[in-house]
Amino acid sequence: MSTKTFLTIHGVIYIVFGLGLFFIPNLLWPNYGLELNDKYSVFLSQHTTIFLGGIAIISLLFRDVKEKSVYAKKILTGLLWTNILGVIITLYAIYTGVFYGFGWSDPAFFTLLSIVSYIKLKHNQ
């Protein structure tokens, strides 16, 4: 898979989750074991869209980065560490009992993106 394809897929995934957490948080979060019981928790979910959307925008803006360039290495390193952080935080949510039900999918998702980010980074060395 080319870096352009990876960054496009990565960006689209983050856009979809960001939009979901903004527009239908009451539908999504209960699948992970979370309950949104007031307007403040709904807003925090929507607030998360800032960061998911930002990662998506950065991924999409860098789609045309030249393979094996310093910029390709930097964007892929940033995405790798972002996804590793996602693995750690979502595993913590499972460990503490915050996530259950479909909650296992988040660390699996971030692990997959971490692995692909790592492979793409190694390919760009």
Side-chain angles (χ1 to χ4, degrees), residues 1-7 9 67 116 120 123:
M1 161 184 350
S2 71
T3 299
K4 182 175 185 170
T5 301
F6 170 70
L7 290 174
I9 292 169
E67 295 277 342
V116 177
K120 290 307 307 166
H123 177 263

Side-chain angles (χ1 to χ4, degrees), residues 8-9 11 18 24 36 68 71 76-77 81 96-97 123:
T8 301
I9 292 169
I24 54 171
L36 301 179
K68 300 185 188 268
Y71 302 109
L76 292 169
T77 300
W81 283 107
T96 59
H123 177 263

Side-chain angles (χ1 to χ4, degrees), residues 8-22:
T8 301
I9 292 169
H10 194 276
V12 169
I13 289 169
Y14 272 80
I15 285 171
V16 169
F17 278 101
L19 290 173
L21 293 182
F22 188 83

